[in-house]
């Protein structure tokens, strides 16, 4: 089990593994991993690594899980990266494997398809997560924020009261207590597109409070924390782009257009 480090910022882990069924987008583009898909003249993973390295929050070069050494070397595009221990299974299994393989905490976690990630997003999220003090913090963005800038993008929204939220593929693990939450997520991953099924895994009383009471996101996370015995927190990101990852060809085209606009701006 990893221990807390003396680092006053964070380590970083990029999840780059594919599910057992493979990745349809990678196959469509004829590459071994989605991390290799070309965006703006460089592999998608390299843009994530660049933003992490440009942040002032990292202790060392980011770790990457889920890629063989030669694929990581190609996908990193020359940007420093360290290979993490990889295990089979979904993202939660990959995360647990990396932590149990020795990566230290606190740990910022994102994914190789978070091509719109910027150092500003990283700095904001890590700063707010540290300030919040939860064992595990999740980055979310509101439907209102996302659709105000990108009404065409299709995202999965969690129906919190007041403001539906979409995940931003940003997680901050402050302490080993967070492993309780990660192990729960490992069991719930198969239901990731069905929020009501995930709610039911907390037990009927908590599920009914979440589904019928429709608490706002902060109250919902308090209820989840009480049920799991570890403190889960949330940072509501003010960046619409933080919620746009590359899951489909439509996502890829949108991300390419946003990055082209950034370069011209």
């Amino acid at each position: 089990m990893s221990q807390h480090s003396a680092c006053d910022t964070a380590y970083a882990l990029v999840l780059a593994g594919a599910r057992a069924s493979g990745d349809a987008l990678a196959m469509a583009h004829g590459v071994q991993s989605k991390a290799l898909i070309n965006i703006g003249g460089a592999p998608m993973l390299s843009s994530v690594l660049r933003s992490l390295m440009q942040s002032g929050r990292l202790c060392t070069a980011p770790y990457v899980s889920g890629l063989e050494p030669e694929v990581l070397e190609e996908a990193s595009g020359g940007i420093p990266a360290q290979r993490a221990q990889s295990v089979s299974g979904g993202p939660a299994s990959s995360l647990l494997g990396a932590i149990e393989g020795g990566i230290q905490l606190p740990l910022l976690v994102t994914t190789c398809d978070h091509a719109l990630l910027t150092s500003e997003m990283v700095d904001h999220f890590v700063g707010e997560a540290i300030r919040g003090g939860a064992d595990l913090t999740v980055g979310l963005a509101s439907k209102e924020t996302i659709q105000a800038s990108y009404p065409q993008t299709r995202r999965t929204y969690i129906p919190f009261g007041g403001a539906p939220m979409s995940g931003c593929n940003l997680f901050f693990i402050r302490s080993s207590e967070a492993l309780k939450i990660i192990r729960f997520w490992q069991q719930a991953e198969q239901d990731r597109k069905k929020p009501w099924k995930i709610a039911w895994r907390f037990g009927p009383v908590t599920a009914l409070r979440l589904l019928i009471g429709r608490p706002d996101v902060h109250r919902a996370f308090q209820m989840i924390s009480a049920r799991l015995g570890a403190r889960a927190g949330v940072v509501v990101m003010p960046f619409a782009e933080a919620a746009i990852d590359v899951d489909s060809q439509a996502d890829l085209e949108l991300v390419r257009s946003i990055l082209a606009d950034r370069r011209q701006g």
Side-chain angles (χ1 to χ4, degrees):
M1 181 62 61
S2 63
Q3 301 296 316
H4 280 281
S5 71
C7 177
D8 61 1
T9 47
Y11 295 87
L13 172 67
V14 182
L15 302 176
R19 297 188 183 277
S21 57
D23 186 275
L25 194 60
M27 289 187 279
H29 285 261
V31 291
Q32 189 172 341
S33 165
K34 188 158 64 170
L36 289 166
I37 292 175
N38 186 298
I39 295 184
M44 178 155 53
L45 173 63
S46 68
S47 65
V48 178
L49 295 174
R50 183 177 294 105
S51 294
L52 291 169
M53 290 294 289
Q54 287 173 346
S55 165
R57 293 290 187 175
L58 297 197
C59 303
T60 63
Y63 291 88
V64 180
S65 71
L67 298 180
E68 293 302 317
E70 64 277 8
V71 180
L72 174 57
E73 184 176 0
E74 183 181 354
S76 63
I79 297 171
Q82 306 178 72
R83 186 168 176 261
Q85 176 175 306
S86 296
V87 299
S88 58
S93 296
S94 297
L95 177 52
L96 284 171
I99 294 173
E100 289 166 356
I103 290 181
Q104 293 179 290
L105 306 180
L107 182 65
L108 167 68
V109 182
T110 189
T111 56
C112 74
D113 62 355
H114 203 329
L116 296 178
L117 186 69
T118 64
S119 58
E120 184 183 8
M121 292 178 197
V122 173
D123 291 344
H124 178 84
F125 176 69
V126 173
E128 291 299 306
I130 290 172
R131 190 173 296 113
D135 298 307
L136 184 147
T137 302
V138 178
L140 300 173
S142 71
K143 185 175 183 178
E144 181 181 16
T145 294
I146 297 164
Q147 294 200 333
S149 297
Y150 304 104
Q152 72 275 45
T153 187
R154 296 183 64 184
R155 314 261 44 106
T156 299
Y157 290 101
I158 306 167
F160 294 112
M165 298 279 173
S166 186
C168 291
N169 286 358
L170 287 169
F171 308 90
F172 188 79
I173 300 163
R174 188 183 64 85
S175 77
S176 58
E177 288 296 297
L179 296 178
K180 298 175 185 175
I181 303 171
I182 299 167
R183 291 191 181 106
F184 172 84
W185 179 247
Q186 187 180 32
Q187 299 300 314
E189 271 186 339
Q190 64 193 45
D191 300 327
R192 66 191 183 282
K193 300 293 186 181
K194 300 173 182 174
W196 66 271
K197 280 196 172 183
I198 293 175
W200 205 252
R201 287 177 175 270
F202 292 107
V205 173
T206 301
L208 290 172
R209 286 176 177 166
L210 289 169
L211 295 169
I212 297 174
R214 285 290 176 87
D216 69 23
V217 63
H218 297 287
R219 176 62 185 140
F221 270 69
Q222 289 172 359
M223 294 165 66
I224 291 167
S225 299
R227 185 69 180 83
L228 296 182
R231 189 175 165 206
V234 60
V235 172
V236 178
M237 300 288 284
F239 313 92
E241 296 86 355
I244 300 174
D245 54 10
V246 183
D247 274 337
S248 66
Q249 185 63 32
D251 291 336
L252 179 58
E253 290 168 6
L254 175 61
V255 165
R256 283 173 169 166
S257 71
I258 293 169
L259 290 175
D261 289 344
R262 278 184 188 172
R263 286 192 295 272
Q264 290 173 1

